[in-house]
Amino acid sequence: MNTMTSIGWYRRLCETSKLQGNHVFHFLLLVIGLSIVTMAGLYLKSFTFTGQASLRHSNSPPLLPEKPVAVIVASKYNANFSVKEQTPLIVHNMSDEELLSRALSMAPPLPHRLVPKVAFMFLTMGPLPLAPLWEKFFKGYQGFYSIYVHSRPSYNESVPESSVFHGRSIPSQPVQWGTMSMIDAERRLLSNALLHLPNQRFVLLSESCIPLFNFTAIYDYLLHSNLSFLGSFDDPRAPGRGRYNRRMEPAVTLSDWRKGSQWFEIHRELAVKILSDRKYYQTFKDFCLPACYSDEFYLPTMVHILYPEMNSNRSITWVDWSRGGAHPARFGWGDVTDEFLNRIRFGSECTYNGRVTSMCFLFARKFAPDALEPLLRVAPLVLGFDP
């Protein structure tokens, strides 16, 4: 072999080795990258079961870390994993039927790259007098919740741009207490919330509701639950079965009749099924007339008939009916104490994912505007809010 031939052969050998080396280098990078993503996924999975483990071994509330750090850590290793997935603007000119049709088309499962959110849906007459308490509750958890507010169409008080409630009012219609218009408002809230795919849990609240735990505890409790939380029970008394209208047969029989709290929390699958109902909605619209109040009977009855396996049959919003009358007890400045709130937080017993716990209520009502000051005072110590 002459010198030129040897040099050419050597060059080809070097180029081949370099190419192979690049392939090996890229392969190693791929292996390292996959390892990091896998480790992050395992870490996220272990984080997911933290809340369940805490419920298995304690009656204390399931607490996430100070911030949902596992989700944030996972996002560092996966550019497609979005923590700050923005809630879309909710101003639109769709009719209720158009909105409903659009919402029902948004039924696919949550893509892995998106962080699941809890949709907080406020059904109000006007202002939110307890908004400063909710501001503290939401502070620091942007990207893990969405807010929707349904108030009177005539209510147009401006909300500061710095508020979490700014721009969160949906197009609304008049609502009359005790009528089917209340159900229409709930469906309107659900439809708007379903348009945002990351929303996986849906909570209906009023302007007099307060949270009983900090954001991480409530987020953990809801996202890890196997069931929805919609009160549904057979009430043999006059306020229950006594309000059944036999003209509802055969769609709804007396044995099907269920009563429950208006203030529900449901998962996405059940939300879609509720909005898909036309049969029972029309039956209640035609025959559930005062003193039959649709907000107390429609969802408890319909879900009991069609989807009982999806529901826990209990509400997670505490309310006091012990004083009697058409409306529950109202609590003001003098009622808010550590003992009172802790009695609501841990004074009951229920099941969660098949296990007994004393953490049964995540929200409570009805709290008057003058309860705000003492609530803000006790929130850091009792409710676990950041000071």
Side-chain angles (χ1 to χ4, degrees):
M1 182 181 296
N2 58 38
T3 303
M4 292 303 294
T5 302
S6 299
I7 292 173
W9 175 83
Y10 180 73
R11 284 179 176 172
R12 288 194 299 273
L13 178 62
C14 290
E15 289 171 355
T16 301
S17 299
K18 182 178 180 180
L19 183 61
Q20 291 174 340
N22 286 336
H23 288 166
V24 171
F25 178 72
H26 291 150
F27 177 77
L28 288 174
L29 282 180
L30 178 61
V31 171
I32 293 171
L34 289 173
S35 299
I36 291 174
V37 172
T38 301
M39 291 173 63
L42 290 174
Y43 184 71
L44 180 59
K45 184 177 291 186
S46 66
F47 161 84
T48 300
F49 288 103
T50 299
Q52 293 174 329
S54 66
L55 278 176
R56 284 197 297 268
H57 297 103
S58 171
N59 283 333
S60 301
L63 295 175
L64 298 181
E66 191 64 24
K67 295 289 185 290
V69 291
V71 175
I72 296 171
V73 168
S75 70
K76 292 181 180 179
Y77 299 108
N78 187 345
N80 293 323
F81 200 103
S82 173
V83 174
K84 294 289 186 178
E85 185 71 23
Q86 295 299 312
T87 306
L89 295 176
I90 54 181
V91 177
H92 57 76
N93 58 3
M94 287 185 282
S95 67
D96 281 358
E97 279 299 315
E98 291 170 331
L99 175 63
L100 180 61
S101 177
R102 181 74 178 276
L104 291 177
S105 70
M106 303 293 289
L110 180 70
H112 292 302
R113 69 180 184 86
L114 298 181
V115 174
K117 292 183 181 182
V118 177
F120 292 83
M121 307 180 302
F122 290 84
L123 179 56
T124 78
M125 293 296 292
L128 290 166
L130 303 178
L133 180 70
W134 285 101
E135 297 275 3
K136 287 186 174 293
F137 171 78
F138 289 118
K139 184 179 179 181
Y141 296 98
Q142 294 81 0
F144 296 91
Y145 65 86
S146 302
I147 295 174
Y148 303 85
V149 181
H150 186 296
S151 57
R152 292 193 309 263
S154 59
Y155 178 73
N156 58 4
E157 183 177 325
S158 61
V159 177
E161 289 188 14
S162 59
S163 171
V164 296
F165 294 99
H166 178 73
R168 303 316 303 164
S169 292
I170 68 170
S172 64
Q173 295 292 332
V175 174
Q176 184 178 354
W177 179 78
T179 69
M180 206 63 180
S181 64
M182 189 80 77
I183 301 300
D184 291 335
E186 295 174 8
R187 289 162 67 91
R188 211 169 283 127
L189 281 164
L190 276 175
S191 295
N192 277 278
L194 277 171
L195 295 181
H196 189 44
L197 191 56
N199 290 334
Q200 297 296 300
R201 307 290 304 204
F202 303 80
V203 188
L204 182 67
L205 302 160
S206 75
E207 68 268 29
S208 67
C209 286
I210 66 167
L212 293 172
F213 297 92
N214 61 26
F215 184 89
T216 54
I218 289 177
Y219 181 92
D220 188 37
Y221 195 101
L222 298 182
L223 264 296
H224 294 153
S225 173
N226 298 329
L227 299 171
S228 293
F229 298 98
L230 172 67
S232 179
F233 63 95
D234 179 14
D235 183 356
R237 304 173 305 155
R241 291 188 188 179
R243 291 176 177 167
Y244 170 73
N245 184 345
R246 292 195 177 276
R247 295 175 66 191
M248 290 183 169
E249 295 180 344
V252 179
T253 65
L254 182 60
S255 62
D256 295 326
W257 192 245
R258 293 295 183 273
K259 184 178 181 180
S261 170
Q262 173 186 8
W263 312 103
F264 60 75
E265 190 286 330
I266 58 178
H267 54 59
R268 190 176 185 91
E269 184 180 359
L270 184 55
V272 171
K273 291 183 180 301
I274 285 173
L275 292 182
S276 300
D277 170 56
R278 291 186 180 272
K279 174 182 176 180
Y280 297 98
Y281 173 86
Q282 192 61 49
T283 299
F284 273 79
K285 189 172 184 178
D286 291 341
F287 302 116
C288 183
L289 307 172
C292 173
Y293 303 112
S294 299
D295 55 288
E296 293 182 355
F297 294 99
Y298 166 60
L299 287 182
T301 299
M302 187 268 284
V303 171
H304 167 72
I305 294 172
L306 297 179
Y307 315 109
E309 73 286 353
M310 294 186 177
N311 191 27
S312 65
N313 296 325
R314 67 180 178 91
S315 173
I316 52 173
T317 298
W318 180 89
V319 66
D320 181 7
W321 286 98
S322 64
R323 302 178 189 181
H327 300 282
R330 189 176 179 88
F331 304 99
W333 188 90
D335 299 302
V336 179
T337 64
D338 297 7
E339 293 77 14
F340 172 63
L341 292 176
N342 279 326
R343 189 163 63 249
I344 300 174
R345 282 152 47 93
F346 300 114
S348 304
E349 192 173 271
C350 59
T351 59
Y352 175 88
N353 289 348
R355 297 180 180 276
V356 176
T357 178
S358 63
M359 185 176 174
C360 301
F361 298 105
L362 305 186
F363 309 97
R365 64 187 302 267
K366 301 172 69 167
F367 286 81
D370 68 352
L372 178 61
E373 181 184 343
L375 284 169
L376 289 174
R377 187 173 63 248
V378 303
L381 181 62
V382 178
L383 306 183
F385 290 14
D386 289 339

